[in-house]
Amino acid sequence: MNIITGGVTAPKGFKAAGIHCGVKDNFTTPVPDKKDLAMVLSDVPCAAAGTYTRNVVKADPVILTKEYLADHKAQGIILDSGNANACAPKGMENAKRMAAAAAAATGLAPQDFAVCSTGIIGVELNITAIEAGVPALVAALADTEQASNDAAHAILTTDLKIKEIAVTTEIGGKTVTVGAIAKGSGMIHPNMGTMLCAVTTDCAIDGAVLQDMLRHIVTKTFNRITVDGDTSTNDTCVVLANGLAGNAPITGPGADYDALVEALRYVCEYEAKMIASDGEGAGRLVTCTVQGAASEEQAELMAKAVVRSPLVKCAIFGTDANWGRVLCAVGYSGAEFDPKDVEVKFLSQAGELKVCAGGQGVPFDEDLAKKVLSEPEVVILVTLTAGDAACSCWGCDLTYDYVKINGDYRS
Amino acid sequence: MNIITGGVTAPKGFKAAGIHCGVKDNFTTPVPDKKDLAMVLSDVPCAAAGTYTRNVVKADPVILTKEYLADHKAQGIILDSGNANACAPKGMENAKRMAAAAAAATGLAPQDFAVCSTGIIGVELNITAIEAGVPALVAALADTEQASNDAAHAILTTDLKIKEIAVTTEIGGKTVTVGAIAKGSGMIHPNMGTMLCAVTTDCAIDGAVLQDMLRHIVTKTFNRITVDGDTSTNDTCVVLANGLAGNAPITGPGADYDALVEALRYVCEYEAKMIASDGEGAGRLVTCTVQGAASEEQAELMAKAVVRSPLVKCAIFGTDANWGRVLCAVGYSGAEFDPKDVEVKFLSQAGELKVCAGGQGVPFDEDLAKKVLSEPEVVILVTLTAGDAACSCWGCDLTYDYVKINGDYRS
């Protein structure tokens, strides 16, 4: 597998575009880019798969996309940022109008499109601006890196960085490319945010197989990040696979299946970590890896509790090697373990620091601790001796800016 | 039931004291009071009950107190603040030495004492300072309001306010008094905090009955507050009942039982709300009441998710009537409900504001919203039409100071 430049337009036969149409015009948060409408389109029909928020309160575009993709077929994705079209007047009507506008401008059917929205909750979507903008959006479609970049910009809300990735892998003697763009400044931002990810590939694969593969991969990537523990009403990850790589279609387990899993998982994990590190107000990416656990489920419970803990997140912000908070989070995670069996280390490019062994503190160098924790990427490594299972989850520190972004933005 | 002045010394036959002995001397957080050692003592043996943290990682004093109170008998409580004696060298040895020191100075047995500690995790307790301080602590014991007040001060860490309460009720023709002191600047503060509550009463009651009563009440009071979702290693609530009110001992259900439940629940709820409103960095007490739910469990899931949500907490800090975040939290709470059946109001002394009906936003006056949300106590009222059950949970806003307290304190 190789990492290459580009995003959703890297696989064969995909175009993208991102423009400003006016959805963000009454969006009072400072946004890094005013683009607010994006499209990803394949030249030919695709096998399609999607995963969606588990929140009981689902935005209408989520409900509609799930319905449209039930046959595992689609050809494009239309996305807006600035308005989540959740709990909003005329939500379903406007979601359908978005798909219809995309269809009319491309000569396809509304059911060929996934519809994704992200932004404020409870406010009516400016569908007139979207409908007026779609022709220009379609006219701007291109298979260039710049086009993917434009689309990546057009889906941001409080994000500070675009989140693009592309990789190639060998499947059945053919080069298969997987590309993606994502947004999310936290796993979850019911008012401002949401996690959206659009993945494209030219791999040939059966739609139902792709759906199973995606569901499995999402549990191990996007479902392992957290910024604030709030699950959005709009979270969506959609994959379009157009088959133009020319490989023999993947219809089940085997080497080809595994190669695509590796590429798709890499892409999803990359985007997930990008979202965590660009969490609202975040200064650093925090990885908690739990190893030596009795099962992956147990390791995941522990790792997720650590990266979710506000006290751990504040400690990382304060470059404080506060392992007591790590132990405490592991302790209330719901996982079963012997507290006397816990070792904790902090790791980063600046070095490695053992802070706890046998469930008790060990002396450490406070200056080194400061250095280790000041790096942009910090790993909290929790080691048990209960088994062979391991899991990593990702989050970010909790800073003044998180409070500012979420407390002040309407003031 | 009447609310009276005073705390743990209000019931007949209880003394208290709080002094400085030196545990807090290397405690680098600004603390409002340097007192760090407290005792609550009954003149006669008591029925005793305790509830403890559910964290797998339990501090040694928690383990010891559970053991000592297994027979539902005790006569006193010794408490230190500044060091949690959790994951600390010689933890159990030092917890036993605290009980032994209390016993030696009072002529009782170590098993007659509950031992509570709160403060930093992983650092060896300064047991020498405690042992040296106990004789002065015992000499200071008094049945005055000031003595309860001193004890209430001596258990604070990052708390800004002491948390004392006393009530009287009529049981079997006798006046029964229930008093309490508590600490906790958040439900949970693995490094700095913990929730501790010492309750005294002169009611006569069987120990096992008291234990059942307390367990039930704690689930509806202390277990319904949250500051940051982190469950401490040290949480403890202990009740001592010495029977000096002269009522016929309560041995099971009935009017007397109900009267004590009412008083004890009032006291525990008061202390719980005091802890929530004094959450680290908190500016306001936030109550979420869910009514019209199918069951109390469902209502509790929803209410707890709302008061725990960092995004809701930031919105309250920013006096932003951001009901979308409330709906989102209710949606991921795990409760089952129809999103179209949700009404949301914000209430305070400044007025009432309906912001959402039928799961969608309704127009509201932004100026009134600002006024309602600027009050020190704000209620988020979520109304469903699924049934008759209701539940309130309590929390606080999330402010810059929370990040400061937990990010900066060792710098």
Side-chain angles (χ1 to χ4, degrees):
Chain A
M1 200 189 69
N2 293 305
I3 301 158
I4 60 170
T5 59
V8 281
T9 53
K12 288 191 187 81
F14 281 98
K15 295 187 176 70
I19 65 162
H20 169 80
C21 78
V23 178
K24 266 183 187 160
D25 282 356
N26 51 7
F27 189 78
T28 55
T29 313
V31 283
D33 194 288
K34 279 287 191 187
K35 290 194 177 73
D36 54 13
L37 190 62
M39 186 178 283
V40 177
L41 189 69
S42 168
D43 295 343
V44 297
C46 300
T51 58
Y52 311 96
T53 182
R54 293 184 205 159
N55 198 311
V56 174
V57 180
K58 289 178 175 57
D60 286 310
V62 171
I63 297 167
L64 185 69
T65 298
K66 206 168 172 180
E67 185 191 318
Y68 281 179
L69 266 58
D71 61 358
H72 306 305
K73 290 177 193 162
Q75 194 162 340
I77 310 172
I78 181 164
L79 317 94
D80 81 85
S81 64
N83 189 314
N85 194 16
C87 312
K90 304 185 189 163
M92 183 53 79
E93 180 188 328
N94 287 336
K96 285 184 177 171
R97 283 175 67 176
M98 261 178 86
T106 55
L108 298 172
Q111 291 76 8
D112 292 326
F113 283 87
V115 179
C116 299
S117 296
T118 175
I120 197 156
I121 287 182
V123 174
E124 190 174 339
L125 185 66
N126 186 348
I127 187 68
T128 317
I130 291 174
E131 286 173 339
V134 165
L137 180 70
V138 170
L141 285 168
D143 61 3
T144 59
E145 284 190 20
Q146 184 60 49
S148 173
N149 199 279
D150 288 346
H153 271 105
I155 58 177
L156 305 183
T157 54
T158 50
D159 308 58
L160 298 177
K161 298 176 232 166
I162 63 161
K163 297 162 184 72
E164 270 192 307
I165 175 80
V167 303
T168 60
T169 186
E170 206 74 9
I171 295 185
K174 304 288 181 181
T175 297
V176 164
T177 305
V178 180
I181 57 171
K183 67 86 47 180
S185 190
M187 185 165 172
I188 307 132
H189 302 279
N191 224 2
M192 285 290 98
T194 298
M195 183 232 111
L196 299 179
C197 183
V199 185
T200 57
T201 178
D202 46 22
C203 186
I205 180 169
D206 174 76
V209 173
L210 183 63
Q211 179 65 45
D212 282 348
M213 185 186 287
L214 179 65
R215 193 175 294 127
H216 182 72
I217 287 172
V218 166
T219 62
K220 292 177 184 291
T221 53
F222 291 114
N223 288 359
R224 288 186 176 165
I225 59 171
T226 185
V227 168
D228 42 24
D230 285 277
T231 303
S232 159
T233 51
N234 288 54
D235 294 340
T236 304
C237 177
V238 171
V239 182
L240 299 182
N242 68 9
L244 293 182
N247 61 303
I250 298 171
T251 56
D256 292 357
Y257 183 94
D258 293 345
L260 185 62
V261 164
E262 188 196 8
L264 190 56
R265 181 170 172 165
Y266 183 88
V267 163
C268 288
E269 185 175 313
Y270 175 89
E271 294 289 30
K273 289 165 75 172
M274 278 292 285
I275 291 173
S277 72
D278 194 22
E280 289 181 331
R284 18 190 96 86
L285 174 67
V286 180
T287 303
C288 179
T289 301
V290 175
Q291 60 183 15
S295 70
E296 190 175 345
E297 291 68 33
Q298 294 275 308
E300 185 174 0
L301 278 175
M302 295 188 221
K304 207 177 265 179
V306 171
V307 293
R308 182 180 177 168
S309 159
L311 291 171
V312 171
K313 290 157 64 71
C314 283
I316 300 290
F317 168 60
T319 61
D320 175 10
N322 206 322
W323 60 271
R325 296 178 181 176
V326 174
L327 222 63
C328 181
V330 167
Y332 67 69
S333 67
E336 284 166 24
F337 65 99
D338 178 0
K340 304 234 177 296
D341 181 35
V342 183
E343 180 192 272
V344 181
K345 285 181 182 176
F346 291 101
L347 313 167
S348 77
Q349 287 206 324
E352 175 182 324
L353 190 76
K354 189 193 283 192
V355 287
C356 170
Q360 298 204 339
V362 294
F364 60 84
D365 177 346
E366 289 277 358
D367 291 338
L368 178 61
K370 210 94 195 161
K371 271 182 209 143
V372 168
L373 296 177
S374 296
E375 291 290 316
E377 298 195 8
V378 172
V379 176
I380 303 170
L381 179 63
V382 177
T383 306
L384 310 171
T385 58
D388 292 330
C391 178
S392 293
C393 290
W394 302 279
C396 57
D397 53 349
L398 175 53
T399 71
Y400 296 121
D401 283 349
Y402 178 85
V403 179
K404 185 173 172 63
I405 292 165
N406 289 300
D408 283 3
Y409 79 95
R410 274 178 53 175
S411 63
Chain B
M1 200 189 68
N2 293 305
I3 300 158
I4 61 171
T5 58
V8 281
T9 52
K12 288 192 186 80
F14 280 98
K15 295 187 176 71
I19 66 162
H20 169 79
C21 78
V23 178
K24 266 182 187 160
D25 282 355
N26 52 5
F27 189 80
T28 55
T29 315
V31 284
D33 194 289
K34 278 286 190 187
K35 289 195 178 72
D36 55 11
L37 190 63
M39 186 179 283
V40 176
L41 189 69
S42 168
D43 296 343
V44 297
C46 299
T51 59
Y52 312 96
T53 182
R54 294 185 205 159
N55 198 311
V56 173
V57 179
K58 288 176 176 58
D60 286 311
V62 171
I63 297 167
L64 185 69
T65 297
K66 206 169 172 180
E67 185 191 319
Y68 281 179
L69 266 58
D71 60 359
H72 306 306
K73 290 177 192 162
Q75 193 162 340
I77 311 171
I78 181 162
L79 317 93
D80 81 86
S81 64
N83 189 313
N85 194 17
C87 312
K90 304 188 192 163
M92 184 51 81
E93 180 188 328
N94 287 337
K96 285 184 177 171
R97 282 174 68 176
M98 262 177 85
T106 55
L108 298 172
Q111 291 76 8
D112 293 326
F113 283 88
V115 179
C116 299
S117 296
T118 175
I120 196 156
I121 287 182
V123 175
E124 190 173 338
L125 185 66
N126 186 348
I127 187 68
T128 318
I130 291 175
E131 286 173 338
V134 165
L137 180 71
V138 170
L141 285 169
D143 60 4
T144 58
E145 284 191 19
Q146 185 58 48
S148 174
N149 200 279
D150 289 345
H153 271 106
I155 59 177
L156 305 184
T157 55
T158 51
D159 309 58
L160 298 177
K161 297 176 232 166
I162 62 161
K163 297 163 183 72
E164 270 192 308
I165 176 79
V167 303
T168 59
T169 188
E170 205 74 9
I171 295 186
K174 304 288 181 181
T175 298
V176 164
T177 305
V178 180
I181 58 173
K183 69 84 49 179
S185 189
M187 186 165 170
I188 308 133
H189 301 280
N191 223 0
M192 285 290 97
T194 299
M195 182 232 111
L196 298 180
C197 184
V199 185
T200 56
T201 178
D202 45 22
C203 186
I205 182 168
D206 173 75
V209 172
L210 182 63
Q211 179 66 45
D212 281 350
M213 185 187 287
L214 178 66
R215 192 175 293 125
H216 181 73
I217 288 172
V218 165
T219 61
K220 292 177 184 291
T221 53
F222 291 114
N223 287 358
R224 287 184 177 168
I225 60 173
T226 185
V227 168
D228 42 25
D230 285 277
T231 303
S232 159
T233 51
N234 288 53
D235 295 341
T236 304
C237 177
V238 171
V239 182
L240 299 181
N242 68 9
L244 292 182
N247 62 303
I250 297 171
T251 56
D256 292 357
Y257 184 94
D258 292 345
L260 185 63
V261 164
E262 187 196 10
L264 190 56
R265 180 169 173 164
Y266 183 88
V267 164
C268 288
E269 185 174 313
Y270 175 89
E271 295 288 30
K273 289 166 74 173
M274 278 292 284
I275 290 173
S277 71
D278 194 21
E280 290 181 330
R284 359 191 113 83
L285 174 67
V286 180
T287 303
C288 179
T289 300
V290 175
Q291 62 183 14
S295 69
E296 190 176 346
E297 290 68 34
Q298 294 275 308
E300 185 175 359
L301 278 174
M302 295 188 221
K304 208 178 264 179
V306 172
V307 292
R308 182 179 176 169
S309 160
L311 291 171
V312 171
K313 290 157 64 72
C314 283
I316 300 291
F317 169 60
T319 61
D320 174 11
N322 206 322
W323 61 270
R325 296 179 181 176
V326 174
L327 222 64
C328 181
V330 167
Y332 67 69
S333 67
E336 285 165 23
F337 65 99
D338 178 0
K340 303 231 177 301
D341 180 36
V342 183
E343 180 193 271
V344 181
K345 286 182 180 175
F346 291 101
L347 314 168
S348 76
Q349 288 207 321
E352 174 181 325
L353 190 76
K354 189 192 284 193
V355 287
C356 171
Q360 297 204 343
V362 294
F364 60 85
D365 177 347
E366 289 276 359
D367 291 337
L368 178 60
K370 209 97 194 157
K371 270 182 210 145
V372 167
L373 297 177
S374 296
E375 291 290 317
E377 298 195 9
V378 172
V379 176
I380 303 170
L381 179 63
V382 177
T383 305
L384 310 172
T385 57
D388 292 329
C391 178
S392 292
C393 290
W394 302 279
C396 57
D397 52 350
L398 175 53
T399 71
Y400 295 120
D401 283 347
Y402 178 84
V403 179
K404 186 174 173 62
I405 291 166
N406 290 299
D408 283 3
Y409 80 96
R410 273 180 54 175
S411 64

